[in-house]
Amino acid sequence: MAFFASCSGAKDPLDIDSPERQGTEETAKGKVLVAYFSFTGTTKSIATTLAGVTDGTLYEIVPEEAYASDNSNYYDESTRAYKEQYGPATARPAIKKTLENADSYDIIYLGCPIWYGKAPRLMLTFLDTYKFSGKTVVPFVTSGSSGIGTAQSEYESTYKDIKWKKGDRLNGASKATLSSWVESLK
Ligand SMILES: Cc1cc2nc3c(=O)[nH]c(=O)nc-3n(C[C@H](O)[C@H](O)[C@H](O)COP(=O)(O)O)c2cc1C
């Protein structure tokens, strides 16, 4: 099993010093969304701290049909997670569409676990559903050991209208580490 199978500019909303960002506090900072999917809670913990650090809106991406606990056994090829991840790249498992005013956000931090080396197909459903064309999206992941590389490159090649920032694997990141990371993106 193939278990272990990266822009800035004057208008970058993360660049609070750019002339375009002068104005109200909200305009200066850019409105932040921290959207995440988490199966066992690790990504949720990071996303929650990140929302505090960025003063962002925390949003959980929820599958229409929850993944059963047997999906935790990622060596089991009969599970839904395995079949989705190794099935067609075009698979888009349904999500609950409850995000209000998706267009109002300037910066989206997008978090998920790594599943079989890449982002869960559910993340692509989210990106298909809400589009974020022209917006800045910063991906982040948690994993057992896999890096963000494959997820990042798939995001960038599939959603070319998004201004992608190079993201990171954030397992165990403290509030201070997340603050430094957010600063480093500016
Ligand atoms: C179905 C499944 C597949 C996984 N595949 C990988 C993988 O390819 N590489 C890896 O390092 N970790 C893998 N993991 C471990 C998770 O990425 C890791 O535990 C992650 O932090 C879980 O995040 P969560 O608690 O937010 O769901 C997998 C876990 C599951 C359940």
Side-chain angles (χ1 to χ4, degrees):
M1 171 172 66
F3 179 73
F4 295 107
S6 318
C7 31
S8 67
K11 292 187 177 159
D12 184 344
L14 284 169
D15 182 3
I16 59 173
D17 296 318
S18 81
E20 283 78 5
R21 304 313 304 177
Q22 307 302 314
T24 66
E25 183 62 14
E26 183 172 284
T27 306
K29 286 170 64 183
K31 196 175 167 195
V32 174
L33 174 71
V34 179
Y36 71 94
F37 166 63
S38 184
F39 181 47
T40 56
T42 307
T43 312
K44 178 178 185 171
S45 168
I46 298 292
T48 303
T49 307
L50 190 57
V53 163
T54 57
D55 202 17
T57 301
L58 184 65
Y59 178 76
E60 181 175 8
I61 301 166
V62 178
E64 194 72 64
E65 184 192 337
Y67 289 88
S69 57
D70 65 355
N71 287 273
S72 289
N73 181 7
Y74 42 76
Y75 296 105
D76 183 346
E77 300 182 14
S78 73
T79 62
R80 173 183 165 200
Y82 187 98
K83 288 180 189 159
E84 282 180 3
Q85 294 302 101
Y86 283 107
T90 50
R92 297 291 183 270
I95 57 172
K96 293 187 177 167
K97 297 171 189 166
T98 55
L99 178 62
E100 306 280 346
N101 304 318
D103 199 42
S104 67
Y105 296 98
D106 303 302
I107 306 160
I108 299 99
Y109 291 87
L110 185 65
C112 66
I114 292 291
W115 277 6
Y116 304 109
K118 52 193 180 183
R121 303 297 83 191
L122 206 65
M123 304 307 290
L124 309 185
T125 310
F126 179 73
L127 289 165
D128 274 3
T129 302
Y130 293 106
K131 317 283 180 211
F132 288 111
S133 302
K135 307 284 181 155
T136 297
V137 180
V138 188
F140 65 95
V141 300
T142 70
S143 74
S145 62
S146 299
I148 195 172
T150 302
Q152 176 101 34
S153 55
E154 183 177 30
Y155 285 152
E156 291 185 6
S157 62
T158 310
Y159 303 97
K160 295 192 167 80
D161 293 344
I162 288 173
K163 287 190 245 171
W164 291 102
K165 287 270 182 182
K166 188 177 186 308
D168 216 338
R169 176 177 179 265
L170 297 177
N171 283 71
S174 65
K175 187 174 179 185
T177 300
L178 291 175
S179 290
S180 304
W181 181 63
V182 167
E183 281 299 307
S184 76
L185 294 166
K186 292 177 181 169

